[in-house]
Amino acid sequence: MTTPLNERRLANAIRVLAVDAVQQANSGHPGAPMGMAEIAEVLWRQFLRHNPANPNWPNRDRFVLSNGHGSMLQYALLHLSGYDVSVDDLKQFRQLHSKTPGHPEYGYTAGVETTTGPLGQGIANAVGFAIAEKTLAAQFNRDELNVVDHFTYCFMGDGCLMEGISHEVCSLAGTLQLGKLIAYYDDNGISIDGEVEGWFSDDTQKRFEAYGWHVVKVDGHDTEALHAATVAAQADTKRPSLIICKTVIGLGSPNKQGKEECHGAPLGVPEIELVRDTLTWTDEPFVVPADVYEAWDARPRGIIQEKEWNTLFEQYKAQYPELASELQRRLNGDLPADFAARADQYIRDVNTKAETIASRKASQNALQMFGPQLPELLGGSADLAGSNLTIWKGCEGIQDNPAGNYIHYGVREFGMTAIANGIALHGGFIPYVATFLIFMEYARNAVRMGALMKQRVIHVYTHDSIGLGEDGPTHQPIEQLASLRGTPNLNTWRPADTVESAIAWKSALERKDGPTALVFSRQNLPHLVRTDAQIADAAKGGYVLAAEQGELKAIIIATGSEVDLAMQAYSQLSGVRVVSMPCAEEFMRQDAAYREAVLPASIRARVAVEASHVDYWWKFVGLDGKVIGMSTFGESAPAKELFKYFGITTEAVVAAVEELVAR
């Protein structure tokens, strides 16, 4: 191991800040920051292009801490290199509303590119960053004016590699030849339960070589070897790189290094005193010498790097003004100025056309309309494009053309969704991804992470109910809609026909503060007649589709394919209105007056009908209402037989309304 004394001292600054902050919080993971200190020092001081004075500089390198439990490593790096993370912030590690939460959280801390913690998703996000960089570069770079040109670096640990998502995304990264993705694996052999060789004996080098990665093994405490490995990784432009770094977890702790004891608990004051002796660090807790700060400060170099890029971009703007304007628009996340007007006209045209088609087909029609207007759309499906109908006539796969707009993800629902989060975080794209609604379960935690970060990702889910029929209960979603609707920050649309499908797509595209799930049917759905006012109200998530004749006595609430069923019941009843509620989250954001106008509190006779789990709808019908839907798994049979077997019928709705009104 060869590490110059001054570099070791700079790495030790990370170690002492990490152990001090974890001790003060009496909670956290000191082992990873201590073991990865040299790796971090080499990358952040010698390679990473970033400007702490402007954390959102578009062409900065992206850094992801996939082993997010070691968050104090990232906070120490941000503090030392000059970001807006103070000593007081470090002292507030893991405390309420601090800039230094238990795991890195996007939006809380300047310099944190993504929220990490659920292992494996950080490397998946990093793959998304790398895809976005490569595709955006192919679309915009011209004549040596490489205005999109940065690396994506990722730290990860044993847990990230044990999680199955790492296989999904790293396999795809190799196939897509993401040469600007460089990952550092902290190979310390320790996890919470102890030495991992008893449950993790993979040959990681061969595994990643099989994926098509450039792989090198180094001593993770040898700064010269780390430097050389990073140079070699940058030089390999055709393959992503994995640098396997053999390290000692908790290095510097005489009694706990190399053991699981330092993985996820404070070292304790006596041991920290020994750490200081071992590292010859004489300063008090949270005190860093001025010369160490000076050596770490990345602001002077970062300001120069950003100025150089600004000069390059001015040259680019002069030669390609339209491209420059388009790139800035996309990086800002703005839609074209005429998008809303054109989308509204399309919705009116769809209403006039009055087609009876599956809502998944209506979705594809909407994509065919919006796609040519929105070059930022970067779509994909988990090997179900022919069923999800996510490919429109202008789609071109990035595996064939790096400047394309479609990703064939293969059967990788979880990886696909986490990659999409990374693409959205990078900027310049609106990613949409697709699978059957039932297989949302494979991707569930990535859907949650995108919602936690409020990212504009569009999840297309088709085959939305027992209406898919003969494939049976393994493929028929029951509880998935309730799960999606219970996710904070996520909008879930289940449209009833072509008009609501177009409205749902427009809403998802315009929304900047969170993801959207668009849930579509396999079976054909009839067109429902609407006025212009009803079309406008449909965008509010819930609206009166069929008004009562005479005194209002009962309300039927329905979504998706069951709206037509509700309308059939309506034709047999009096004093009833039908409320279509394609997006309950959007409806609940409306003011109280609008919600009262649609669902008057005085009307307690309410029936909700949806071919999904019944539990979600009690919040709208009350305990004295009725919900017609599913409380068991499905069966294998044609759709019409299933709806009759499970009692999701016009007759059932009529009977439920009549019973409530008679009370």
Side-chain angles (χ1 to χ4, degrees):
M1 179 174 71
T2 56
T3 300
L5 185 60
N6 64 325
E7 289 188 345
R8 185 171 298 134
R9 187 163 180 253
L10 298 178
N12 286 343
I14 297 172
R15 292 187 169 98
V16 294
L17 287 174
V19 299
D20 288 342
V22 171
Q23 187 63 43
Q24 173 135 328
N26 197 29
S27 174
H29 299 74
M34 297 177 76
M36 298 190 75
E38 280 82 16
I39 306 170
E41 186 274 327
V42 169
L43 175 61
W44 276 63
R45 289 191 63 253
Q46 301 176 39
F47 292 96
L48 194 70
R49 289 171 53 85
H50 62 126
N51 181 10
N54 181 13
N56 297 318
W57 167 36
N59 203 46
R60 68 194 181 278
D61 289 337
R62 304 311 200 263
F63 172 77
V64 177
L65 184 70
S66 189
N67 46 341
H69 56 272
S71 57
M72 263 311 303
L73 172 63
Q74 187 161 13
Y75 300 145
L77 288 166
L78 293 171
H79 170 69
L80 291 167
S81 57
Y83 284 83
D84 183 21
V85 178
S86 67
V87 169
D88 286 339
D89 292 324
L90 299 183
K91 291 179 179 178
Q92 290 297 306
F93 179 52
R94 289 185 162 230
Q95 305 309 301
L96 183 64
H97 301 315
S98 76
K99 291 182 182 178
T100 51
H103 292 82
E105 292 191 36
Y106 175 80
Y108 276 64
T109 316
V112 170
E113 301 283 2
T114 181
T115 300
T116 56
L119 295 176
Q121 288 197 62
I123 181 60
N125 294 163
V127 172
F129 282 124
I131 288 173
E133 189 278 339
K134 183 176 181 178
T135 305
L136 203 65
Q139 292 177 355
F140 284 95
N141 289 350
R142 297 289 188 278
D143 303 327
E144 304 301 320
L145 295 174
N146 296 328
V147 293
V148 181
D149 183 14
H150 68 78
F151 286 93
T152 298
Y153 299 99
C154 180
F155 287 178
M156 57 184 179
D158 294 304
C160 295
L161 294 183
M162 282 188 259
E163 288 286 358
I165 189 174
S166 69
H167 164 70
E168 295 183 26
V169 302
C170 293
S171 169
L172 184 61
T175 299
L176 295 178
Q177 299 184 331
L178 301 179
K180 288 188 175 179
L181 172 63
I182 301 176
Y184 299 79
Y185 163 35
D186 179 27
D187 182 15
N188 61 44
I190 297 293
S191 66
I192 291 175
D193 281 353
E195 296 180 5
V196 302
E197 61 185 11
W199 50 86
F200 184 53
S201 58
D202 302 12
D203 188 328
T204 299
Q205 179 170 350
K206 289 182 180 178
R207 170 186 168 187
F208 275 77
E209 286 173 347
Y211 292 152
W213 286 52
H214 161 77
V215 184
V216 61
K217 286 185 175 181
V218 299
D219 179 340
H221 304 298
D222 184 336
T223 57
E224 292 180 1
L226 287 163
H227 185 279
T230 304
V231 170
Q234 288 184 336
D236 194 328
T237 59
K238 295 296 185 183
R239 294 182 296 175
S241 292
L242 178 68
I243 302 175
I244 301 174
C245 306
K246 193 62 182 176
T247 63
V248 177
I249 190 171
L251 184 66
S253 172
N255 297 308
K256 297 186 178 182
Q257 69 180 31
K259 302 175 182 178
E260 64 270 21
E261 296 172 63
C262 67
H263 183 284
L267 298 183
V269 173
E271 185 69 13
I272 292 175
E273 290 178 358
L274 295 177
V275 168
R276 281 182 152 73
D277 290 341
T278 302
L279 302 180
T280 62
W281 192 275
T282 59
D283 295 278
E284 296 297 313
F286 297 104
V287 174
V288 176
D291 64 323
V292 174
Y293 273 130
E294 183 179 359
W296 266 107
D297 191 355
R299 287 169 294 188
R301 184 176 73 247
I303 289 170
I304 292 171
Q305 290 170 340
E306 184 177 357
K307 283 183 177 179
E308 291 173 348
W309 182 82
N310 287 337
T311 299
L312 179 70
F313 191 74
E314 287 302 316
Q315 296 173 6
Y316 181 84
K317 189 186 298 184
Q319 293 189 41
Y320 304 101
E322 292 183 2
L323 278 175
S325 177
E326 178 72 356
L327 178 58
Q328 288 178 315
R329 177 188 72 78
R330 286 174 55 172
L331 290 175
N332 289 338
D334 298 328
L335 298 177
D338 63 346
F339 173 79
R342 295 180 67 177
D344 288 341
Q345 182 58 55
Y346 172 70
I347 292 166
R348 289 191 291 271
D349 292 344
V350 168
N351 191 47
T352 300
K353 197 172 183 180
E355 289 183 292
T356 293
I357 55 177
S359 56
R360 63 172 174 160
K361 179 60 178 176
S363 167
Q364 185 181 47
N365 291 346
L367 273 171
Q368 189 61 56
M369 172 60 186
F370 297 142
Q373 302 177 47
L374 301 174
E376 58 263 49
L377 279 177
L378 185 57
S381 171
D383 202 48
L384 287 169
S387 295
N388 299 146
L389 303 184
T390 47
I391 292 180
W392 49 281
K393 291 179 182 178
C395 283
E396 188 172 6
I398 65 170
Q399 78 280 2
D400 298 318
N401 176 10
N405 59 0
Y406 196 84
I407 303 171
H408 292 276
Y409 283 102
V411 186
R412 299 181 174 101
E413 294 88 356
F414 191 7
M416 169 184 72
T417 307
I419 286 171
N421 289 339
I423 291 171
L425 286 159
H426 180 279
F429 294 100
I430 301 175
Y432 67 91
V433 292
T435 186
F436 290 170
L437 178 57
I438 191 68
F439 300 135
M440 177 278 295
E441 294 292 355
Y442 283 133
R444 179 74 187 89
N445 200 260
V447 175
R448 182 181 188 272
M449 293 297 285
L452 184 65
M453 294 186 282
K454 300 181 180 179
Q455 289 304 295
R456 186 196 284 181
V457 178
I458 301 173
H459 306 283
V460 176
Y461 297 126
T462 67
H463 297 60
D464 67 344
S465 73
I466 58 171
L468 68 88
E470 292 85 348
D471 276 342
T474 62
H475 282 53
Q476 292 165 3
I478 303 298
E479 70 276 24
Q480 285 66 38
L481 280 170
S483 176
L484 290 169
R485 289 171 177 147
T487 304
N489 303 330
L490 177 69
N491 273 9
T492 300
W493 286 81
R494 187 174 183 245
D497 65 355
T498 56
V499 175
E500 288 188 5
S501 296
I503 291 169
W505 263 107
K506 177 175 182 280
S507 174
L509 290 165
E510 290 182 331
R511 187 175 186 224
K512 283 188 172 184
D513 61 351
T516 302
L518 303 179
V519 182
F520 298 117
S521 73
R522 175 181 183 268
Q523 72 272 32
N524 289 342
L525 305 180
H527 172 75
L528 303 167
V529 178
R530 294 177 187 79
T531 65
D532 288 344
Q534 287 175 314
I535 291 174
D537 284 345
K540 299 175 182 177
Y543 64 105
V544 178
L545 178 64
E548 63 278 7
Q549 299 295 319
E551 179 187 0
L552 178 60
K553 299 177 182 177
I555 300 172
I556 304 171
I557 307 169
T559 78
S561 52
E562 288 67 69
V563 174
D564 177 59
L565 188 154
M567 290 296 290
Q568 293 178 40
Y570 170 82
S571 67
Q572 301 177 33
L573 296 163
S574 61
V576 174
R577 72 170 49 166
V578 173
V579 171
S580 177
M581 195 170 295
C583 183
E585 298 83 11
E586 200 62 54
F587 176 73
M588 292 305 296
R589 290 192 190 97
Q590 306 306 311
D591 60 46
Y594 178 79
R595 287 184 276 119
E596 172 66 18
V598 174
L599 297 175
S602 60
I603 305 302
R604 306 298 298 170
R606 299 182 183 187
V607 175
V609 53
E610 183 178 66
S612 185
H613 203 287
V614 297
D615 278 1
Y616 178 79
W617 290 103
W618 297 112
K619 64 188 286 184
F620 288 104
V621 303
L623 294 180
D624 49 354
K626 286 185 174 294
V627 182
I628 295 172
M630 301 291 295
S631 57
T632 68
F633 293 116
E635 296 284 350
S636 181
K640 288 184 179 180
E641 292 183 27
L642 290 174
F643 278 96
K644 182 177 181 180
Y645 176 78
F646 287 108
I648 306 174
T649 63
T650 300
E651 293 78 12
V653 176
V654 170
V657 171
E658 289 178 339
E659 179 184 342
L660 291 175
V661 171
R663 286 181 181 175

